Each structure stands twice: as C-alpha cells, then as structure tokens.
Amino acid sequence: MAKRDRLSGNEAVAVAMRQINPDVVAAFPITPSTEVPQYFASFVADGKVDTEFIPVESEHSAMSACIGAQAAGARTITATSANGLALMWEMLYIAASSRLPVTLAAVNRALSGPININNDHSDTMGARDSGWIQLYGENNQEAYDNLIQAVKIGEHPDVMLPVMDCYDGFITSHAVENIELLEDDEVKAFVGEYNPDFYLNDRENPISVGPLDSVSHYFEHKRLQAEAMKNAKKVILEVAAEFEKLTGRKYGLFEEYMMEDAEIAIVVINSTAGTAKEVVKSLRAKGVKAGLIKIRVYRPFPVDEIVKALKKVKALAVLDKCDSFNAAGGPLFTDVTSALYGRADGIKVINYIYGLGGRDVKTDDIEKVYERLADIAKTGSVGEIYNYFGVRE
Amino acid sequence: MSNAVEIRWHGRGGQGAKTASLLLADAAFNTGKYVQGFPEYGPERMGAPITAYNRISDEKITVHSNIYNPQFVVVVDDSLLESVDVTKGLKEDGAIIINTTKSPEEIKSLLKGYSGRIFTIDARKISMECLGKYFPNTPMLAAVVVVSKVMPVEDFIKDMEESYAHKFASKPQVIEGNMAALRRSVTEVRSI
C-alpha cells in the first residue's frame, strides 16, 4: 500500500536507499547532495539497514570504493553534486567500462567556476558520454521512483552499467512536497537480490577486474559496452512497466505532455518541466496547440522515439540548463537536432540556454519561448538559433 | 494551481523562517492538501535576509519557480522593512503579517504606498514570555494560519501539538511553552 507523505527530494532518495538496503554506501559530502548520505548514515547508526557505510576523504575515493565493492559482488550506492562528480570523473569511466552497476544520486548543481552552489545541469551533462545511464526526474517523487528503478535497470544481465538518478539541487533536493512512498517490502521485492554472474569474491570462478586491456581486446570490450547501452532502452521500459504495475505511476523514456496535436513544443529536463506544464495548460485554455516533452532517459538517448513524438510539430525549442561553449548550442539541443536530421527534416528548431547557476525559471520566461515558437510556426522565419533567456545582456 | 495559496516569508538567518515554512507545509499536508515548502538558497549566515516560500493547494502543484505574486507575506523581523521590498508583487487582495512593536502609522509609512491589509503581532513579547527565549517563528506560524485561513485554527493547534510531541520527545519541557506561544499568538494578531 502506498504511503502518503511529504519529503524533500534528498529525504525521499535516502528513504529509497533505506528500502533498497544496499550492501555498501561510500560517500563524501557536497552541497546540495550532502543530506543523502547524512540521512542514510543515521539509518546505518540506528540499525535500520545492513549497509557497510564508508565515509571516504574525497569523491574520487567514494567512486573508487563503490567500484571495488561492486566488483566484489556488493550492491553499491553513492551520491554527489557538481565538483564532487567532476572529481569522480576518472572513476566514472572505469565503473562503466568495468560493467559495474553502481547507482549514483546525482543532485544537479552548477559546476565551478565561478563557485556557485545552485542548480543547473552542467555537472551531469559533462558526464553524458562517460558510459553511465542517466535518468532525470522532475520532482521528489520521480527522484525516489527513478532510484528504485535505477538499481534494477543497471543490474540487468543485458545491461550491467552504472546509473545516475539526476534531480535538481535545492529546487527538488531541498523543497518539501507531497510524495507517495512504497512499503519497504515492496521495494525489497522489486529490486530483488544482486547476483552478478562474475564477481571478485567468487572463489570458484576467480576473475580479475580492471587489468590492462591491450590492442587485441580493448575495442571489442568497448563495442560490448556500446551494445549494453543500446540494450538498456528495452530494459528501462520493462522495468518501468513492472514499476507501473506496482505503483500505478507510468514512466517511459520521456514524458509527452499534450503532444497529440501539438504544433509548437519544447523539450526540457527536470524541474523546469513542471513549471512549463503550467504554461502549456494555460496556453491550451486559450486554444494554442502547445505541448511539452520532458526527457527522463538522456543516456541512452531515445532517438527513434523522440522523432516519432516530434515529427508533426512545426516549431520546437530545446531548453538546456547548461551551456556547451561550442558557439553552437547546448547538449540536449545537439542530441535532439541530430536525432531529427534525416528522420524528420523541416521542423524549425531553436535552442535556449537558461537557468545557469540557479537563475530562477518563471512561467513568464517559458511563455515568451512559446510566443516565439508561435511566431516561427506562423512566419516560417527562424531567426537566431542559439539563444538565452533569464540573463542580463 | 489556479487555486493555490502562495505565501512568501522574509526573515533573517537563524530566526527560523525556513523552519516555519516547512512546519506550515507539514500542517497543511496533514489536512489533506498538496504542499510545497522551500527556502531560496544562497550563502546563508546568521542575521542575513532570507526568503522562504509555501504553496498550498487542493490540486497537485507542478510549478517550481519562486513566488513573485504571493497572496500573503510574512515578515519575521521588522528591521527588514527598511532594506527589503517586502510587498513586492503582493496581491492587492492579500495581506502582510509583520512581527513588530511599531505603531500602525510607522508601519504604513515603511510599506511605501502598499494599500492592502496589514496585520501585526508582537512575536518577541509572546516568545519571551512563553518560551523565555526569542524564537519568533512559532508565533508567526500561528499568525499566518489565522490570517490566511489555509486551515481551521483548531486543526492547526491540534496538529502542532502532535508534531511537537513527536519532535521534542526527548525534551518534553519545551512543548508546553511552544503550545502556549501558539495559542496566545492566535488571539494576538492585530489588524491595522
């Protein structure tokens, strides 16, 4: 039975971790993710979990400890943000290429510099090609639900990849909102036991993890890693279907909001999607055919599915809470436009960079984006492709 | 969202405005509402101006921006009236609730042309007399429930009693003072 509660995003994720009861948690605190290991450490101290909690001296060590533990056959979870994730960089790639399904609560925060503690997506967007599966969530409920599903997705034999559960720092991590929680035994049954085929502590089948991979095999291993990411899409949907049976909450690769007959649309990630939905609702009330796509699964990127969802749209804006400094557009824009190329040509697409370093995103800002899209749809004239909103110029 | 009550809190770091916004969210949640309680985060330190927010609604709330046009504004420290534009965006049919000992005339002159309803409460006096310490957030929490009518006052008092019993299980001596402060505050909110 679902339990109605009200929790911050970080509390919700810590509760999910308690319910998952992982074998190992290794973490180093950094705002705004600090509360996750903080709450979890209290569960450890109170004997509510059986987890070995490893307080390490840096995020590089946190990810290294996770890799060691997961390689030994332990289910392992950690949490971090911004520069903490940056310090894990080297080890992120090693977790993925060693096919170790570590789970990471990535609480999105602007990457320094300048130093800033508030939300944007520059941290996890930088890790988009590290080989991790990336799930993004709009609110505390999705951060909680995604963490529970992340464990099952990553550990699937056809996948065996690490997974990030990304949600907005402060906006989601520290705001208290309503949430529906699962019972402990429901989560336990849903994630099941972690029984990898190969692990270091298996005396009968000794293996080594992370040795030199020379010219003769390196490429084949990377090819298998790429295949695992392809497989992940199917597994993510299977896990979502099972989760829906349990909770009634439906998850896909992305959420389509009022897209059936949409002529103008935006593609957006995380909490801004919620703010934008309110705008779509009011535009619909005025007869404007506006829609929204909220990306849940950014890695693997749902190319075919997103093309199918967007192909009838006349004008589209892709919103990036992260700049790429390529003088061309943000990472989500690049992925969406390359998906459309040759598959759904003719859609007018523009990009907005917004909300960097926690700049608040108002419904007025989103309204202006839809106004411009309506104008593009009407006139066919695109104008500047690479834009910003909410910044003083 | 259209029927959501939006509240903005102004306080100084250490006065408990953030905690008060979370307690209000808790109390409203317990009456079956959808709630949001969140502070605006920056480099907080004791005494610096801080802002916190509440949305309370019968429907699911999806907006995640700060609040720019609140129905209610709560000012936990009246020294902020000189430095922060506390009535900015405040709806004309809304109200502002201020912790102060200042006269109505003085308050009105500090609110520069604001024509909506004004409520005051002496949270310092109530807190000192009931708790022996200055914790203005408890009286302000009661005041905002009285003025905003987001829930029946009796339900709020009952809910807070249960919440304190749980929160202060290890130091029950503080429960009585907090409850006395809440009850007194309910009757000492003044409209000017």
Side-chain angles (χ1 to χ4, degrees), chain A residues 67-107:
Chain A
I67 288 168
Q70 193 87 32
R75 178 179 278 157
T76 308
I77 304 182
T78 187
T80 197
S81 294
N83 290 51
L85 186 66
L87 191 52
M88 287 181 178
W89 221 256
E90 179 189 13
M91 305 316 290
L92 291 178
Y93 283 75
I94 291 171
S97 64
S98 304
R99 310 292 299 278
L100 297 170
V102 175
T103 306
L104 165 64
V107 188

Side-chain angles (χ1 to χ4, degrees), chain A residues 4-6 117-118 138-139 170-171 174-178 271 274-275 278 360-362, chain B residues 1 22 26 29 32-38 41-42 60-66 68:
Chain A
R4 180 178 176 271
D5 208 333
R6 74 292 185 216
I117 61 164
N118 297 94
E138 179 183 324
N139 49 32
F170 294 115
I171 302 166
H174 283 63
V176 171
E177 294 191 78
N178 298 51
S271 66
T275 307
E278 196 62 25
D360 196 34
V361 185
K362 306 171 203 163
Chain B
M1 241 308 279
L22 297 183
D26 257 15
F29 168 85
K33 301 273 189 184
Y34 285 95
V35 298
Q36 282 183 347
F38 58 103
Y41 276 91
K60 191 172 157 66
I61 306 163
T62 67
V63 169
H64 284 100
S65 66
N66 294 337
Y68 296 93

Side-chain angles (χ1 to χ4, degrees), chain A residues 263-264 313-316 348 370-382:
Chain A
E263 291 174 356
I264 55 174
V313 167
K314 289 179 183 161
L316 176 70
K348 314 284 188 196
Y370 280 107
E371 275 168 29
R372 178 151 172 228
L373 288 174
D375 189 54
I376 293 171
K378 200 170 130 198
T379 63
S381 166
V382 175

Side-chain angles (χ1 to χ4, degrees), chain A residues 316-356:
Chain A
L316 176 70
V318 181
L319 273 47
D320 272 286
K321 212 171 191 178
C322 167
D323 210 338
S324 274
F325 305 107
N326 56 4
L332 182 59
F333 172 74
T334 305
D335 278 315
V336 171
T337 47
S338 76
L340 295 175
Y341 183 79
R343 297 183 184 90
D345 293 327
I347 301 172
K348 314 284 188 196
V349 194
I350 54 170
N351 183 208
Y352 278 95
I353 310 294
Y354 74 100
L356 301 191

Side-chain angles (χ1 to χ4, degrees), chain B residues 74-189:
Chain B
V74 190
V75 181
V76 184
D77 185 318
D78 66 357
S79 70
L80 290 166
L81 296 175
E82 287 159 32
S83 55
V84 177
D85 188 2
V86 292
T87 55
K88 191 176 181 184
L90 175 57
K91 288 188 174 158
E92 287 292 308
D93 59 353
I96 185 166
I97 308 151
I98 306 167
N99 168 22
T100 190
T101 53
K102 288 185 168 63
S103 70
E105 293 69 32
E106 210 177 331
I107 290 292
K108 276 181 188 165
S109 73
L110 283 166
L111 293 179
K112 307 171 199 88
Y114 167 72
S115 59
R117 291 182 296 154
I118 303 170
F119 294 87
T120 61
I121 183 167
D122 188 349
R124 180 183 292 273
K125 183 161 179 268
I126 295 169
S127 180
M128 291 309 289
E129 290 179 10
C130 296
L131 295 161
K133 280 180 190 155
Y134 184 40
F135 289 128
N137 62 350
T138 305
M140 296 314 284
L141 183 60
V144 73
V145 170
V146 170
V147 173
S148 70
K149 302 186 170 64
V150 288
M151 73 193 80
V153 171
E154 309 76 58
D155 292 1
F156 164 71
I157 297 286
K158 189 164 166 282
D159 184 69
M160 289 305 295
E161 194 155 25
E162 284 164 15
S163 159
Y164 284 146
H166 179 69
K167 191 168 305 203
F168 298 123
S170 58
K171 37 179 180 175
Q173 68 279 13
V174 305
I175 297 173
E176 202 182 317
N178 272 295
M179 289 312 298
L182 284 177
R183 289 200 184 91
R184 243 186 90 177
S185 304
V186 166
T187 62
E188 293 191 17
V189 187

